[in-house]
């Protein structure tokens, strides 16, 4: 296996494990609530504390990866993530669950941007979209893996055993460290720094060091926030919306979830190819506009076939774009700040966008499905408006913006 493929396999596996871990909470939540005798709001804070950990971990490990190497820090994030997940299964009270989920979040948040930076630095520009799409599909593999493990483990061994299985990624971490060499582009950049005798600074202020860079960073944060807000709003509330508006049974809404997930996977793979062929701005422009239209029109879908086909179309466009963010963000920042930028921007979007289900729930309580879907469609239009302000950036041999 050549180096390019190794970076994809490592990053896919990392995102698969991250997706699996996040879904463990969803499948085990009812058991955790019952075991510790807590209310749903208290249980819901488990996901919130995990997102906070992801944001902080993304910033810390992004900076460390830019300073000390992608592969080394990538390995540490997987180990930390695995330890936090396994310790969750040993928690004696809800406070310990919060602590261990925060630790797992630190590792998971650091892993995403580092893996994407590795892929971006290994693949040529005209193939980065498809490489990024292969990695992004890993999250959907994680959902499937979590569902299978939950079905096998939860009924017989309980929720604690499910999380203890999370220690297995440590094995993967050692395999990565042994078989994956450091990014050649990062190594070359570090070598140049030694020759000139000056290390480039790595801190968050560099994401705003010029007016143009600041506008780019804010734009990408808005786009990432909309991406996560749209996904969470659709996947968490739409099954319930359809049960009420279309009279679907729980089994029928589960079938909708499967059809939508299939649409998402196909959309990701398609988006990567589309991005490589037509460029990032055209790809995001088409998919954002199509997402806004599909989401709005979906509120008028009727009948079983319309709901299933429409769900697949919505998933295709709305989450297909997820495949491009790693390549998109990486292209706007030089190598010495790339992991920091990717982790910070996407995890900030994840933290803010993760609050979307609260607003969607309020809209549904006060209005109806049409208003909720109009809100989601408006988000994609907002992202499109910001995306159109992006201007292409080029870097010279000294890793400086030209």
């Amino acid at each position: 296996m050549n180096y390019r493929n190794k970076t994809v396999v490592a990053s896919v596996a990392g995102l698969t494990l991250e997706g699996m871990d996040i879904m463990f909470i969803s499948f085990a939540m009812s058991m955790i609530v019952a075991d510790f005798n807590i209310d749903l709001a208290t249980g819901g804070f488990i996901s919130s504390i995990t997102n906070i950990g992801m944001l902080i971990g993304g910033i810390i490990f992004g900076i460390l990866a830019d300073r000390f190497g992608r592969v080394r820090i990538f390995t540490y994030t997987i180990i930390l993530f695995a330890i936090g997940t396994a310790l969750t299964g040993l928690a004696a009270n809800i406070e310990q669950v919060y602590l261990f989920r925060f630790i797992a979040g630190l590792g998971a948040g650091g892993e995403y941007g580092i893996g994407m930076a590795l892929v971006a630095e290994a693949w040529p520009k005209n193939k980065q979209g498809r490489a990024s799409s292969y990695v992004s599909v890993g999250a959907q593999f994680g959902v499937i893996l979590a569902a299978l493990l939950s079905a096998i483990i939860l009924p017989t061994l309980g929720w604690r055993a499910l999380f203890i299985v999370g220690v297995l990624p440590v094995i993967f971490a050692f395999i990565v460290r042994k078989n994956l060499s450091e990014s050649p582009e990062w190594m070359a950049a570090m070598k140049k720094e030694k020759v000139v005798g000056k290390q480039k600074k790595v801190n968050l202020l560099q994401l705003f060091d010029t007016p143009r860079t600041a506008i780019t960073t804010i734009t990408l944060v808005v786009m990432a926030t909309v991406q996560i807000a749209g996904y969470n709003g659709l996947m968490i509330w739409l099954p319930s919306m359809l049960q009420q508006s279309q009279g679907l049974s729980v089994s029928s809404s589960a079938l909708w979830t499967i059809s939508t997930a299939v649409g998402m996977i196909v959309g990701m793979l398609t988006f990567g190819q589309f991005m490589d062929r037509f460029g990032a701005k055209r790809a995001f422009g088409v998919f954002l506009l199509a997402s806004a239209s599909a989401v709005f029109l979906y509120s008028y879908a009727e009948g079983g076939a319309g709901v299933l086909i429409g769900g697949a179309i919505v998933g295709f466009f709305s989450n297909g774009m997820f495949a491009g963010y790693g390549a998109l963000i990486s292209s706007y920042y030089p190598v010495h700040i790339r992991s920091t930028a990717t982790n910070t921007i996407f995890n900030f979007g994840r933290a803010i966008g993760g609050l979307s289900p609260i607003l969607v729930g309020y809209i549904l309580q006060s209005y109806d499905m049409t208003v909720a879907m109009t809100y989601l469609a408006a988000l994609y239009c907002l992202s499109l408006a910001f995306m159109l302000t992006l201007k292409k950036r080029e870097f010279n041999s000294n890793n400086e913006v030209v």
Side-chain angles (χ1 to χ4, degrees):
M1 187 182 297
N2 61 35
Y3 182 75
R4 290 180 186 173
N5 291 335
K6 283 183 179 180
T7 62
V8 169
V9 170
S11 300
V12 166
L15 202 58
T16 297
L17 295 171
E18 179 186 328
M20 177 193 74
D21 172 79
I22 293 172
M23 288 305 298
F24 275 174
I25 289 293
S26 298
F27 288 114
M29 182 64 78
S30 60
M31 287 186 174
I32 295 174
V33 168
D35 199 10
F36 291 121
N37 193 28
I38 57 176
D39 57 36
L40 294 178
T42 304
F45 190 64
I46 296 174
S47 294
S48 299
I49 199 70
T50 304
N51 284 336
I52 293 172
M54 286 182 174
L55 176 57
I56 296 174
I59 295 171
I60 293 173
F61 289 112
I63 292 174
L64 291 176
D66 283 326
R67 189 70 275 158
F68 300 108
R70 316 297 196 213
V71 176
R72 179 192 301 179
I73 304 303
F74 184 71
T75 306
Y76 296 157
T77 62
I78 294 172
I79 292 174
L80 185 62
F81 151 75
I83 291 173
T85 301
L87 286 175
T88 302
L90 303 176
N93 51 55
I94 190 60
E95 289 76 19
Q96 289 185 9
V97 171
Y98 291 155
L99 173 62
F100 298 144
R101 292 310 302 159
F102 178 77
I103 292 173
L106 288 174
E111 176 273 327
Y112 173 80
I114 300 174
M116 286 299 187
L118 268 172
V119 171
E121 290 165 7
W123 288 72
K125 289 185 178 181
N126 65 337
K127 293 184 179 180
Q128 286 181 4
R130 70 195 70 180
S132 180
S133 71
Y134 300 151
V135 176
S136 300
V137 170
Q140 302 302 318
F141 293 156
V143 172
I144 296 171
L145 183 58
L148 293 174
L149 289 174
S150 297
I152 295 170
I153 296 174
L154 286 178
T156 54
L157 301 176
W159 69 271
R160 294 182 181 277
L162 185 65
F163 284 96
I164 291 174
V165 170
V167 78
L168 294 178
V170 172
I171 300 173
F172 167 70
F174 285 109
I175 294 174
V176 169
R177 187 68 178 271
K178 183 179 180 180
N179 293 284
L180 187 62
S181 57
E182 191 52 77
S183 161
E185 187 174 345
W186 181 84
M187 292 287 287
M190 293 303 103
K191 187 176 181 179
K192 276 192 175 182
E193 288 184 8
K194 287 183 179 180
V195 170
V196 300
K198 183 179 179 181
Q199 285 188 327
K200 293 182 182 294
K201 293 181 179 180
V202 181
N203 59 60
L204 294 182
L205 293 179
Q206 286 183 281
L207 304 183
F208 304 90
D209 59 357
T210 67
R212 181 178 172 184
T213 302
I215 291 172
T216 298
T217 298
I218 293 170
T219 295
L220 292 171
V221 166
V222 170
M223 292 178 66
T225 299
V226 169
Q227 181 64 38
I228 301 300
Y231 175 81
N232 285 344
L234 288 169
M235 296 305 292
I236 291 177
W237 281 114
L238 204 49
S240 298
M241 292 185 209
L242 294 172
Q243 287 177 27
Q244 294 179 6
S245 65
Q246 299 290 328
L248 296 185
S249 64
V250 174
S251 59
S252 296
S253 61
L255 186 60
W256 171 87
T257 302
I258 294 172
S259 70
T260 304
V262 170
M264 289 177 178
I265 293 174
V266 176
M268 288 179 186
L269 296 175
T270 302
F271 185 89
Q273 299 285 340
F274 198 85
M275 183 175 176
D276 286 339
R277 184 169 183 177
F278 299 104
K281 289 193 74 169
R282 288 183 181 178
F284 276 97
V286 169
F287 271 65
L288 283 167
L289 188 59
S291 294
S293 302
V295 166
F296 178 75
L297 293 174
Y298 194 52
S299 61
Y300 298 98
E302 294 183 357
V307 166
L308 290 178
I309 295 173
I313 294 173
V314 168
F316 179 93
F317 288 110
S318 66
N319 210 49
M321 294 178 292
F322 179 78
Y325 280 94
L328 178 69
I329 298 173
S330 294
S331 69
Y332 278 94
Y333 300 90
V335 63
H336 75 277
I337 194 69
R338 186 169 291 150
S339 286
T340 302
T342 307
N343 264 345
T344 301
I345 290 170
F346 199 80
N347 282 304
F348 194 87
R350 181 151 45 185
I352 302 300
L355 300 176
S356 178
I358 299 175
L359 181 55
V360 173
Y362 171 78
I363 293 174
L364 288 174
Q365 185 176 347
S366 304
Y367 302 98
D368 57 18
M369 178 176 172
T370 301
V371 176
M373 299 300 273
T374 301
Y375 153 73
L376 293 173
L379 284 183
Y380 291 119
C381 291
L382 174 67
S383 183
L384 175 62
F386 272 84
M387 186 277 298
L388 292 175
T389 68
L390 287 175
K391 295 182 179 180
K392 190 175 182 181
R393 305 186 81 183
E394 297 289 345
F395 304 98
N396 60 24
S397 59
N398 293 321
N399 200 34
E400 298 171 333
V401 179
V402 293

Short mmCIF file of all heavy atoms in Angstrom, two decimals, residues 224-258:
data_model
loop_
_atom_site.label_atom_id
_atom_site.label_comp_id
_atom_site.label_asym_id
_atom_site.label_seq_id
_atom_site.Cartn_x
_atom_site.Cartn_y
_atom_site.Cartn_z
N ALA A 224 -19.13 25.45 8.40
CA ALA A 224 -19.06 24.24 9.21
C ALA A 224 -20.20 24.17 10.21
O ALA A 224 -20.77 23.10 10.46
CB ALA A 224 -17.72 24.19 9.95
N THR A 225 -20.56 25.32 10.79
CA THR A 225 -21.67 25.36 11.75
C THR A 225 -22.98 24.97 11.08
O THR A 225 -23.77 24.19 11.62
CB THR A 225 -21.79 26.78 12.35
OG1 THR A 225 -20.58 27.11 13.03
CG2 THR A 225 -22.96 26.84 13.34
N VAL A 226 -23.22 25.51 9.89
CA VAL A 226 -24.44 25.18 9.14
C VAL A 226 -24.46 23.70 8.79
O VAL A 226 -25.50 23.04 8.89
CB VAL A 226 -24.55 26.04 7.88
CG1 VAL A 226 -25.66 25.52 6.96
CG2 VAL A 226 -24.82 27.50 8.24
N GLN A 227 -23.30 23.15 8.39
CA GLN A 227 -23.23 21.74 8.05
C GLN A 227 -23.67 20.86 9.21
O GLN A 227 -24.49 19.94 9.06
CB GLN A 227 -21.81 21.38 7.63
CG GLN A 227 -21.62 19.92 7.22
CD GLN A 227 -22.41 19.56 5.99
OE1 GLN A 227 -22.51 20.37 5.06
NE2 GLN A 227 -22.97 18.37 5.95
N ILE A 228 -23.14 21.13 10.40
CA ILE A 228 -23.48 20.32 11.58
C ILE A 228 -24.90 20.61 12.05
O ILE A 228 -25.63 19.69 12.43
CB ILE A 228 -22.48 20.60 12.72
CG1 ILE A 228 -21.05 20.27 12.25
CG2 ILE A 228 -22.84 19.80 13.95
CD1 ILE A 228 -20.85 18.83 11.83
N ALA A 229 -25.30 21.89 12.01
CA ALA A 229 -26.65 22.25 12.45
C ALA A 229 -27.70 21.59 11.56
O ALA A 229 -28.72 21.08 12.06
CB ALA A 229 -26.82 23.77 12.41
N GLY A 230 -27.46 21.58 10.26
CA GLY A 230 -28.41 20.95 9.35
C GLY A 230 -28.50 19.46 9.56
O GLY A 230 -29.58 18.88 9.62
N TYR A 231 -27.34 18.83 9.71
CA TYR A 231 -27.30 17.37 9.92
C TYR A 231 -28.01 16.99 11.22
O TYR A 231 -28.87 16.10 11.23
CB TYR A 231 -25.86 16.89 9.95
CG TYR A 231 -25.72 15.41 10.27
CD1 TYR A 231 -25.90 14.46 9.28
CD2 TYR A 231 -25.44 14.98 11.56
CE1 TYR A 231 -25.79 13.10 9.56
CE2 TYR A 231 -25.33 13.63 11.86
CZ TYR A 231 -25.51 12.70 10.86
OH TYR A 231 -25.40 11.35 11.15
N ASN A 232 -27.67 17.67 12.31
CA ASN A 232 -28.28 17.34 13.60
C ASN A 232 -29.77 17.62 13.62
O ASN A 232 -30.56 16.86 14.16
CB ASN A 232 -27.59 18.12 14.72
CG ASN A 232 -26.22 17.57 15.07
OD1 ASN A 232 -25.89 16.45 14.69
ND2 ASN A 232 -25.42 18.34 15.77
N GLY A 233 -30.14 18.76 13.02
CA GLY A 233 -31.56 19.10 12.98
C GLY A 233 -32.38 18.08 12.22
O GLY A 233 -33.49 17.71 12.63
N LEU A 234 -31.82 17.60 11.10
CA LEU A 234 -32.53 16.62 10.28
C LEU A 234 -32.57 15.24 10.94
O LEU A 234 -33.63 14.62 11.07
CB LEU A 234 -31.87 16.50 8.91
CG LEU A 234 -32.07 17.68 7.95
CD1 LEU A 234 -31.14 17.56 6.75
CD2 LEU A 234 -33.52 17.75 7.50
N MET A 235 -31.42 14.74 11.38
CA MET A 235 -31.32 13.36 11.85
C MET A 235 -31.96 13.15 13.22
O MET A 235 -32.44 12.06 13.52
CB MET A 235 -29.86 12.92 11.87
CG MET A 235 -29.21 12.89 10.50
SD MET A 235 -30.11 11.88 9.28
CE MET A 235 -29.86 10.23 9.96
N ILE A 236 -31.95 14.18 14.06
CA ILE A 236 -32.52 14.02 15.39
C ILE A 236 -34.03 14.22 15.40
O ILE A 236 -34.77 13.48 16.06
CB ILE A 236 -31.84 14.99 16.38
CG1 ILE A 236 -30.39 14.54 16.60
CG2 ILE A 236 -32.59 15.05 17.71
CD1 ILE A 236 -29.58 15.46 17.50
N TRP A 237 -34.52 15.21 14.63
CA TRP A 237 -35.94 15.54 14.71
C TRP A 237 -36.79 15.03 13.56
O TRP A 237 -38.00 14.83 13.72
CB TRP A 237 -36.11 17.06 14.81
CG TRP A 237 -35.86 17.59 16.18
CD1 TRP A 237 -34.85 18.42 16.58
CD2 TRP A 237 -36.64 17.35 17.36
NE1 TRP A 237 -34.95 18.69 17.92
CE2 TRP A 237 -36.05 18.06 18.43
CE3 TRP A 237 -37.79 16.60 17.61
CZ2 TRP A 237 -36.55 18.04 19.72
CZ3 TRP A 237 -38.30 16.57 18.91
CH2 TRP A 237 -37.68 17.28 19.93
N LEU A 238 -36.20 14.84 12.38
CA LEU A 238 -37.02 14.50 11.23
C LEU A 238 -37.79 13.18 11.37
O LEU A 238 -38.96 13.11 10.95
CB LEU A 238 -36.17 14.49 9.95
CG LEU A 238 -36.95 14.71 8.64
CD1 LEU A 238 -37.87 15.91 8.74
CD2 LEU A 238 -35.97 14.89 7.48
N PRO A 239 -37.22 12.13 11.95
CA PRO A 239 -38.03 10.92 12.16
C PRO A 239 -39.29 11.19 12.98
O PRO A 239 -40.38 10.68 12.66
CB PRO A 239 -37.07 9.98 12.90
CG PRO A 239 -35.72 10.39 12.43
CD PRO A 239 -35.80 11.89 12.32
N SER A 240 -39.15 12.01 14.03
CA SER A 240 -40.32 12.36 14.85
C SER A 240 -41.30 13.20 14.07
O SER A 240 -42.52 13.03 14.18
CB SER A 240 -39.87 13.11 16.11
OG SER A 240 -39.04 12.31 16.91
N MET A 241 -40.78 14.14 13.25
CA MET A 241 -41.66 14.97 12.43
C MET A 241 -42.50 14.10 11.50
O MET A 241 -43.71 14.31 11.33
CB MET A 241 -40.82 15.93 11.57
CG MET A 241 -40.08 17.02 12.29
SD MET A 241 -39.30 18.12 11.06
CE MET A 241 -37.87 18.70 11.96
N LEU A 242 -41.84 13.12 10.87
CA LEU A 242 -42.53 12.27 9.91
C LEU A 242 -43.54 11.36 10.60
O LEU A 242 -44.60 11.05 10.03
CB LEU A 242 -41.51 11.43 9.14
CG LEU A 242 -40.57 12.23 8.23
CD1 LEU A 242 -39.48 11.33 7.66
CD2 LEU A 242 -41.36 12.90 7.10
N GLN A 243 -43.23 10.92 11.81
CA GLN A 243 -44.19 10.10 12.55
C GLN A 243 -45.47 10.88 12.81
O GLN A 243 -46.57 10.34 12.75
CB GLN A 243 -43.57 9.64 13.87
CG GLN A 243 -42.49 8.57 13.71
CD GLN A 243 -41.84 8.19 15.02
OE1 GLN A 243 -42.45 8.32 16.08
NE2 GLN A 243 -40.59 7.74 14.97
N GLN A 244 -45.32 12.19 13.06
CA GLN A 244 -46.49 13.02 13.36
C GLN A 244 -47.22 13.45 12.08
O GLN A 244 -48.44 13.35 11.98
CB GLN A 244 -46.07 14.25 14.16
CG GLN A 244 -45.55 13.91 15.56
CD GLN A 244 -45.10 15.14 16.31
OE1 GLN A 244 -45.28 16.26 15.84
NE2 GLN A 244 -44.51 14.95 17.48
N SER A 245 -46.44 13.95 11.10
CA SER A 245 -47.07 14.51 9.91
C SER A 245 -47.56 13.45 8.93
O SER A 245 -48.59 13.63 8.26
CB SER A 245 -46.10 15.45 9.19
OG SER A 245 -44.99 14.73 8.69
N GLN A 246 -46.84 12.34 8.83
CA GLN A 246 -47.18 11.30 7.87
C GLN A 246 -47.78 10.06 8.54
O GLN A 246 -48.17 9.11 7.84
CB GLN A 246 -45.94 10.88 7.09
CG GLN A 246 -45.31 12.01 6.28
CD GLN A 246 -46.18 12.42 5.09
OE1 GLN A 246 -46.88 11.61 4.50
NE2 GLN A 246 -46.14 13.70 4.75
N GLY A 247 -47.82 10.04 9.86
CA GLY A 247 -48.34 8.89 10.57
C GLY A 247 -47.47 7.66 10.44
O GLY A 247 -47.95 6.52 10.48
N LEU A 248 -46.15 7.86 10.27
CA LEU A 248 -45.24 6.72 10.12
C LEU A 248 -45.04 6.01 11.45
O LEU A 248 -45.01 6.63 12.51
CB LEU A 248 -43.88 7.20 9.60
CG LEU A 248 -43.82 7.82 8.19
CD1 LEU A 248 -42.37 8.11 7.83
CD2 LEU A 248 -44.45 6.89 7.17
N SER A 249 -44.87 4.70 11.38
CA SER A 249 -44.54 3.92 12.57
C SER A 249 -43.06 4.06 12.88
O SER A 249 -42.29 4.58 12.09
CB SER A 249 -44.88 2.44 12.34
OG SER A 249 -44.06 1.92 11.31
N VAL A 250 -42.66 3.58 14.06
CA VAL A 250 -41.25 3.64 14.44
C VAL A 250 -40.40 2.83 13.46
O VAL A 250 -39.31 3.25 13.05
CB VAL A 250 -41.05 3.10 15.87
CG1 VAL A 250 -39.57 3.02 16.21
CG2 VAL A 250 -41.79 3.98 16.88
N SER A 251 -40.91 1.67 13.03
CA SER A 251 -40.15 0.84 12.08
C SER A 251 -40.02 1.55 10.74
O SER A 251 -38.98 1.47 10.07
CB SER A 251 -40.84 -0.51 11.89
OG SER A 251 -42.16 -0.35 11.41
N SER A 252 -41.07 2.26 10.33
CA SER A 252 -41.01 3.00 9.06
C SER A 252 -40.02 4.16 9.14
O SER A 252 -39.30 4.44 8.19
CB SER A 252 -42.40 3.55 8.70
OG SER A 252 -43.31 2.49 8.46
N SER A 253 -39.98 4.84 10.30
CA SER A 253 -39.03 5.94 10.44
C SER A 253 -37.60 5.41 10.49
O SER A 253 -36.66 6.09 10.07
CB SER A 253 -39.34 6.76 11.71
OG SER A 253 -39.23 5.97 12.87
N ALA A 254 -37.43 4.18 11.00
CA ALA A 254 -36.10 3.57 10.99
C ALA A 254 -35.68 3.29 9.55
O ALA A 254 -34.51 3.47 9.19
CB ALA A 254 -36.11 2.27 11.79
N LEU A 255 -36.63 2.87 8.71
CA LEU A 255 -36.35 2.64 7.30
C LEU A 255 -35.96 3.95 6.63
O LEU A 255 -35.08 3.99 5.76
CB LEU A 255 -37.58 2.03 6.62
CG LEU A 255 -37.41 1.59 5.15
CD1 LEU A 255 -36.32 0.54 5.03
CD2 LEU A 255 -38.74 1.05 4.62
N TRP A 256 -36.62 5.05 7.04
CA TRP A 256 -36.26 6.37 6.53
C TRP A 256 -34.82 6.70 6.89
O TRP A 256 -34.06 7.21 6.05
CB TRP A 256 -37.19 7.43 7.12
CG TRP A 256 -36.72 8.82 6.79
CD1 TRP A 256 -37.01 9.55 5.68
CD2 TRP A 256 -35.82 9.63 7.57
NE1 TRP A 256 -36.36 10.76 5.71
CE2 TRP A 256 -35.63 10.84 6.87
CE3 TRP A 256 -35.18 9.46 8.79
CZ2 TRP A 256 -34.82 11.86 7.34
CZ3 TRP A 256 -34.36 10.47 9.27
CH2 TRP A 256 -34.19 11.65 8.56
N THR A 257 -34.42 6.40 8.13
CA THR A 257 -33.06 6.68 8.57
C THR A 257 -32.04 5.95 7.71
O THR A 257 -31.02 6.50 7.31
CB THR A 257 -32.87 6.27 10.05
OG1 THR A 257 -33.82 6.97 10.86
CG2 THR A 257 -31.46 6.58 10.53
N ILE A 258 -32.35 4.70 7.37
CA ILE A 258 -31.44 3.90 6.54
C ILE A 258 -31.34 4.49 5.14
O ILE A 258 -30.24 4.65 4.59
CB ILE A 258 -31.92 2.44 6.47
CG1 ILE A 258 -31.82 1.78 7.85
CG2 ILE A 258 -31.10 1.65 5.44
CD1 ILE A 258 -32.44 0.40 7.92
#
